Amino acid sequence: MTKALTLRALAAAASIALALPSAAPALAQTQVLNVQDADIRAFIQDVAKTTNSTFVIDPRVKGTVSVTSNGPLDRRELFELFLATLRANNLVATPAGGGVYRIEPSENAARQPSTAGGQFATEVFRLRTLDPATAADMLKPLVGPQGQVVANARGGTVVVADYADNVRRIRALLAQVDQDRAAVHTVTLTNSSAREIAQVINDLIAGPGADGKAGRGAVTVVAVESSNSVLLRGDPDAVQKLLPLIADLDRRAESSDDVRVVFLRHANAEQMLPVLQQLVGQAPSAVTPSAGRTAGGGTGSVNATPATTSAVTTAPGSARANVARYPGANALIINAPPELQRTLSEVIRQLDVRREQVLVEAIVVEVSDDAAKQLGVQLLLGGTNGTIPFMATNYTNASTSLLPLAGAIAAGDPRDGDSEAVTSMRQAGINSLLNASGITGGVAGRSGDVLFGAIINAVKKDSGSNLLSTPSIMTLDNEEARILVGQEVPITTGEVLGDANSNPFRTIQRQNVGVQLEVKPQINAGGGITLFLRQEVSAVAGPVSVGSSELVINKREIETTALVDDGDIVVLGGLLDQTETSSVQKVPGLGNLPGIGGLFRSTARERGKTNLMVFIRPRIIKTVDDARAVTGPRLDRMRRESALVTPEGDSSLDAVIRDFQRTSPAVLPPPPPQTQPQ
């Protein structure tokens, strides 16, 4: 296709010189042209008659022309002068087929469907070394206002539309510029690291300019770490000037003691030390127990201890390598030959990177609904002298028992000297009334030696509760984290009264009660996150029974390992529980009687329903912007809490951030642009 376009362009250029009709040979007839301020349309008509050509004039063609020749012109010379006159007046003659030409303004000539054979030409230039965008920027100042230059980055070409003679000039210019004169040279280093040398040379080429890019492009420097070589490509003279400098730097890097100190930026020197020692065959070093965490992520103490080293047993003639850790600066000391130093430094460079973080957000939802109904009647008839038979009805599903009340009535009024048993009977009767719920009514009394009583108890109880907790925690990749929001509740684990209660003591253990989240995330190469997770929600339900100090603790716990994609919400587990219990206690025979049988029975019904679900959502925090996007909304939500807003409208949280942390409150990032549906 490119070859066809070039042939068409050459034919178009040649047709300008052969613009006269084929039937009109070069005649000997000549004439002298002298036109002063003539109407351009009349001038076109005269040229059409003289050259025996047909012109279609655009309505926008207006104005006057002045043309003077210093000698006689034949038809061919007259037509060429006519084309030059049109060009001088920003007009162009475009072939329309059949020997017809369109006379129109040149501003639209580049957009015409066909310009072959006319003054205007369009050509596609395929570039070999130049970038299409760079070539287009270079050619735009060279074309006229009516011309067009378009770069095709994917095809490696440039399209130029302009006057044919100017297109020929651009073709010759590109032939001189679009050439690869760059030289390629490879320098293998002996003592230095290829990555460091390449960085130094690139910084040197960049120069001290404000943008840091001055001089770039003359020479390209690339580090080949597999062979510890530096590859240079660029102007031959510039490359030759850099070769002695690289050789001098490589020679100066040779050290007699072969010791190098590497300061870590993100990694922990204590964790990296055993890895490097395994690579060089060194016995693992003992870690100082008193070392504490430093700001850089390493370990250290107030008084820095000397680095611990361990010698390596090597064969005769082989190099000895040691790797040590300096806790105070989170640094590693490498004592090895230059080649081994470069290998270990490359391992450290790849491992000493900023680690990704994971924000784990959990949602625990529990909704429960309990309902209970009770209805019972209890009767009592008896005597205190043993001559009257005793009869009573008592049901365990009734909240108030009649028998403790009867015992309290039989004990009589309190008086001095009452025995412990009589006092206990009165206290049991009082406790029976205190534990009553719902509505309790009845009668009880004593007539001489006769005791009588009746109680009716009716209860309807509905209770509903919901628990919604959202613990969240952020941790480094592959690092365990834990958050607990709750209390430490004492739980009795043992009790000794001693002989005759002489030396009683009790042992207790404190147990965490509240919302607890433990997680260890592991980011996979495919973008998923493996979560080793334990989620617990516990609360104190109350004592085991009345008068007991032992506690009942409700606990909801999930411990699992799950694979979750970044930003997805998944359910870890849950419970859908529904129970219903009905009980009827009655006197045989009498409880079945219609109507009156209700006096001899007690009914109770209980229903419980629980919905419990635990959801989890992990999010990978890769950059500082990701961390700000996560922190901003939460900080803004707390800032708007009514309890933190002063009467003047200022947030107490903002004041603390300004006064204590000496910084400005975080600003929410702008919302992403909304895309309109098509």
Side-chain angles (χ1 to χ4, degrees), residues 380-392 449-452:
L380 171 67
L381 178 64
T384 58
N385 55 7
T387 59
I388 301 176
F390 177 81
M391 182 186 69
D449 294 334
V450 179
L451 296 176
F452 61 90

PDB file of all heavy atoms in Angstrom, residues 380-392 449-452:
ATOM      1  N   LEU A 380     -54.079 -24.881  98.297  1.00  0.00           N
ATOM      2  CA  LEU A 380     -53.466 -25.400  99.520  1.00  0.00           C
ATOM      3  C   LEU A 380     -54.552 -25.542 100.586  1.00  0.00           C
ATOM      4  O   LEU A 380     -55.359 -24.626 100.794  1.00  0.00           O
ATOM      5  CB  LEU A 380     -52.363 -24.463 100.023  1.00  0.00           C
ATOM      6  CG  LEU A 380     -51.788 -24.791 101.408  1.00  0.00           C
ATOM      7  CD1 LEU A 380     -51.025 -26.117 101.373  1.00  0.00           C
ATOM      8  CD2 LEU A 380     -50.867 -23.671 101.875  1.00  0.00           C
ATOM      9  N   LEU A 381     -54.559 -26.697 101.289  1.00  0.00           N
ATOM     10  CA  LEU A 381     -55.462 -26.939 102.417  1.00  0.00           C
ATOM     11  C   LEU A 381     -54.761 -27.897 103.366  1.00  0.00           C
ATOM     12  O   LEU A 381     -54.295 -28.966 102.951  1.00  0.00           O
ATOM     13  CB  LEU A 381     -56.796 -27.537 101.945  1.00  0.00           C
ATOM     14  CG  LEU A 381     -57.800 -27.863 103.062  1.00  0.00           C
ATOM     15  CD1 LEU A 381     -58.222 -26.562 103.775  1.00  0.00           C
ATOM     16  CD2 LEU A 381     -59.019 -28.574 102.500  1.00  0.00           C
ATOM     17  N   GLY A 382     -54.634 -27.487 104.671  1.00  0.00           N
ATOM     18  CA  GLY A 382     -53.946 -28.352 105.622  1.00  0.00           C
ATOM     19  C   GLY A 382     -54.106 -27.842 107.041  1.00  0.00           C
ATOM     20  O   GLY A 382     -54.764 -26.822 107.292  1.00  0.00           O
ATOM     21  N   GLY A 383     -53.539 -28.562 108.007  1.00  0.00           N
ATOM     22  CA  GLY A 383     -53.622 -28.184 109.410  1.00  0.00           C
ATOM     23  C   GLY A 383     -52.268 -28.222 110.058  1.00  0.00           C
ATOM     24  O   GLY A 383     -51.315 -28.796 109.525  1.00  0.00           O
ATOM     25  N   THR A 384     -52.197 -27.612 111.232  1.00  0.00           N
ATOM     26  CA  THR A 384     -50.913 -27.521 111.945  1.00  0.00           C
ATOM     27  C   THR A 384     -50.801 -28.531 113.077  1.00  0.00           C
ATOM     28  O   THR A 384     -49.714 -28.735 113.600  1.00  0.00           O
ATOM     29  CB  THR A 384     -50.736 -26.113 112.509  1.00  0.00           C
ATOM     30  OG1 THR A 384     -51.833 -25.830 113.382  1.00  0.00           O
ATOM     31  CG2 THR A 384     -50.693 -25.084 111.382  1.00  0.00           C
ATOM     32  N   ASN A 385     -51.976 -29.178 113.480  1.00  0.00           N
ATOM     33  CA  ASN A 385     -51.912 -30.105 114.616  1.00  0.00           C
ATOM     34  C   ASN A 385     -51.848 -31.552 114.177  1.00  0.00           C
ATOM     35  O   ASN A 385     -51.855 -32.464 115.012  1.00  0.00           O
ATOM     36  CB  ASN A 385     -53.122 -29.892 115.527  1.00  0.00           C
ATOM     37  CG  ASN A 385     -54.438 -30.008 114.763  1.00  0.00           C
ATOM     38  OD1 ASN A 385     -54.444 -30.376 113.591  1.00  0.00           O
ATOM     39  ND2 ASN A 385     -55.545 -29.703 115.446  1.00  0.00           N
ATOM     40  N   GLY A 386     -51.829 -31.804 112.869  1.00  0.00           N
ATOM     41  CA  GLY A 386     -51.705 -33.173 112.372  1.00  0.00           C
ATOM     42  C   GLY A 386     -53.015 -33.908 112.273  1.00  0.00           C
ATOM     43  O   GLY A 386     -53.045 -35.029 111.752  1.00  0.00           O
ATOM     44  N   THR A 387     -54.142 -33.340 112.736  1.00  0.00           N
ATOM     45  CA  THR A 387     -55.432 -34.033 112.640  1.00  0.00           C
ATOM     46  C   THR A 387     -56.132 -33.764 111.327  1.00  0.00           C
ATOM     47  O   THR A 387     -56.975 -34.536 110.885  1.00  0.00           O
ATOM     48  CB  THR A 387     -56.346 -33.587 113.795  1.00  0.00           C
ATOM     49  OG1 THR A 387     -56.522 -32.170 113.707  1.00  0.00           O
ATOM     50  CG2 THR A 387     -55.709 -33.948 115.135  1.00  0.00           C
ATOM     51  N   ILE A 388     -55.778 -32.642 110.688  1.00  0.00           N
ATOM     52  CA  ILE A 388     -56.385 -32.284 109.411  1.00  0.00           C
ATOM     53  C   ILE A 388     -55.424 -32.705 108.305  1.00  0.00           C
ATOM     54  O   ILE A 388     -54.229 -32.371 108.347  1.00  0.00           O
ATOM     55  CB  ILE A 388     -56.670 -30.777 109.340  1.00  0.00           C
ATOM     56  CG1 ILE A 388     -57.621 -30.371 110.486  1.00  0.00           C
ATOM     57  CG2 ILE A 388     -57.257 -30.387 107.999  1.00  0.00           C
ATOM     58  CD1 ILE A 388     -57.874 -28.887 110.560  1.00  0.00           C
ATOM     59  N   PRO A 389     -55.914 -33.451 107.304  1.00  0.00           N
ATOM     60  CA  PRO A 389     -55.006 -33.893 106.235  1.00  0.00           C
ATOM     61  C   PRO A 389     -54.474 -32.689 105.426  1.00  0.00           C
ATOM     62  O   PRO A 389     -55.124 -31.652 105.347  1.00  0.00           O
ATOM     63  CB  PRO A 389     -55.885 -34.812 105.387  1.00  0.00           C
ATOM     64  CG  PRO A 389     -57.280 -34.370 105.668  1.00  0.00           C
ATOM     65  CD  PRO A 389     -57.300 -33.920 107.109  1.00  0.00           C
ATOM     66  N   PHE A 390     -53.283 -32.874 104.842  1.00  0.00           N
ATOM     67  CA  PHE A 390     -52.618 -31.821 104.055  1.00  0.00           C
ATOM     68  C   PHE A 390     -52.792 -32.122 102.567  1.00  0.00           C
ATOM     69  O   PHE A 390     -52.612 -33.245 102.126  1.00  0.00           O
ATOM     70  CB  PHE A 390     -51.136 -31.764 104.417  1.00  0.00           C
ATOM     71  CG  PHE A 390     -50.368 -30.761 103.606  1.00  0.00           C
ATOM     72  CD1 PHE A 390     -50.389 -29.420 103.950  1.00  0.00           C
ATOM     73  CD2 PHE A 390     -49.631 -31.171 102.496  1.00  0.00           C
ATOM     74  CE1 PHE A 390     -49.675 -28.502 103.206  1.00  0.00           C
ATOM     75  CE2 PHE A 390     -48.933 -30.253 101.761  1.00  0.00           C
ATOM     76  CZ  PHE A 390     -48.956 -28.904 102.119  1.00  0.00           C
ATOM     77  N   MET A 391     -53.175 -31.084 101.804  1.00  0.00           N
ATOM     78  CA  MET A 391     -53.341 -31.225 100.362  1.00  0.00           C
ATOM     79  C   MET A 391     -52.896 -29.922  99.685  1.00  0.00           C
ATOM     80  O   MET A 391     -53.280 -28.832 100.140  1.00  0.00           O
ATOM     81  CB  MET A 391     -54.794 -31.522 100.009  1.00  0.00           C
ATOM     82  CG  MET A 391     -55.014 -31.720  98.504  1.00  0.00           C
ATOM     83  SD  MET A 391     -56.760 -31.903  98.082  1.00  0.00           S
ATOM     84  CE  MET A 391     -57.346 -30.246  98.417  1.00  0.00           C
ATOM     85  N   ALA A 392     -52.104 -30.002  98.601  1.00  0.00           N
ATOM     86  CA  ALA A 392     -51.617 -28.813  97.890  1.00  0.00           C
ATOM     87  C   ALA A 392     -51.289 -29.182  96.450  1.00  0.00           C
ATOM     88  O   ALA A 392     -50.955 -30.336  96.153  1.00  0.00           O
ATOM     89  CB  ALA A 392     -50.382 -28.234  98.574  1.00  0.00           C
ATOM     90  N   ASP A 449     -56.288 -24.015 113.602  1.00  0.00           N
ATOM     91  CA  ASP A 449     -55.249 -24.953 113.155  1.00  0.00           C
ATOM     92  C   ASP A 449     -55.340 -25.274 111.677  1.00  0.00           C
ATOM     93  O   ASP A 449     -54.650 -26.172 111.190  1.00  0.00           O
ATOM     94  CB  ASP A 449     -55.384 -26.267 113.952  1.00  0.00           C
ATOM     95  CG  ASP A 449     -55.086 -26.058 115.434  1.00  0.00           C
ATOM     96  OD1 ASP A 449     -54.324 -25.104 115.721  1.00  0.00           O
ATOM     97  OD2 ASP A 449     -55.591 -26.841 116.245  1.00  0.00           O
ATOM     98  N   VAL A 450     -56.161 -24.533 110.917  1.00  0.00           N
ATOM     99  CA  VAL A 450     -56.365 -24.821 109.504  1.00  0.00           C
ATOM    100  C   VAL A 450     -55.655 -23.758 108.662  1.00  0.00           C
ATOM    101  O   VAL A 450     -55.840 -22.550 108.880  1.00  0.00           O
ATOM    102  CB  VAL A 450     -57.864 -24.854 109.153  1.00  0.00           C
ATOM    103  CG1 VAL A 450     -58.030 -25.140 107.666  1.00  0.00           C
ATOM    104  CG2 VAL A 450     -58.571 -25.915 109.981  1.00  0.00           C
ATOM    105  N   LEU A 451     -54.831 -24.241 107.666  1.00  0.00           N
ATOM    106  CA  LEU A 451     -54.174 -23.365 106.699  1.00  0.00           C
ATOM    107  C   LEU A 451     -54.861 -23.538 105.354  1.00  0.00           C
ATOM    108  O   LEU A 451     -55.177 -24.667 104.945  1.00  0.00           O
ATOM    109  CB  LEU A 451     -52.689 -23.711 106.556  1.00  0.00           C
ATOM    110  CG  LEU A 451     -51.801 -23.514 107.794  1.00  0.00           C
ATOM    111  CD1 LEU A 451     -50.397 -24.003 107.515  1.00  0.00           C
ATOM    112  CD2 LEU A 451     -51.789 -22.057 108.188  1.00  0.00           C
ATOM    113  N   PHE A 452     -55.072 -22.413 104.652  1.00  0.00           N
ATOM    114  CA  PHE A 452     -55.671 -22.478 103.329  1.00  0.00           C
ATOM    115  C   PHE A 452     -55.023 -21.399 102.457  1.00  0.00           C
ATOM    116  O   PHE A 452     -54.536 -20.379 102.955  1.00  0.00           O
ATOM    117  CB  PHE A 452     -57.188 -22.284 103.395  1.00  0.00           C
ATOM    118  CG  PHE A 452     -57.598 -20.956 103.965  1.00  0.00           C
ATOM    119  CD1 PHE A 452     -57.774 -19.842 103.140  1.00  0.00           C
ATOM    120  CD2 PHE A 452     -57.774 -20.801 105.339  1.00  0.00           C
ATOM    121  CE1 PHE A 452     -58.145 -18.624 103.687  1.00  0.00           C
ATOM    122  CE2 PHE A 452     -58.140 -19.572 105.879  1.00  0.00           C
ATOM    123  CZ  PHE A 452     -58.327 -18.488 105.062  1.00  0.00           C
TER     124      PHE A 452
END
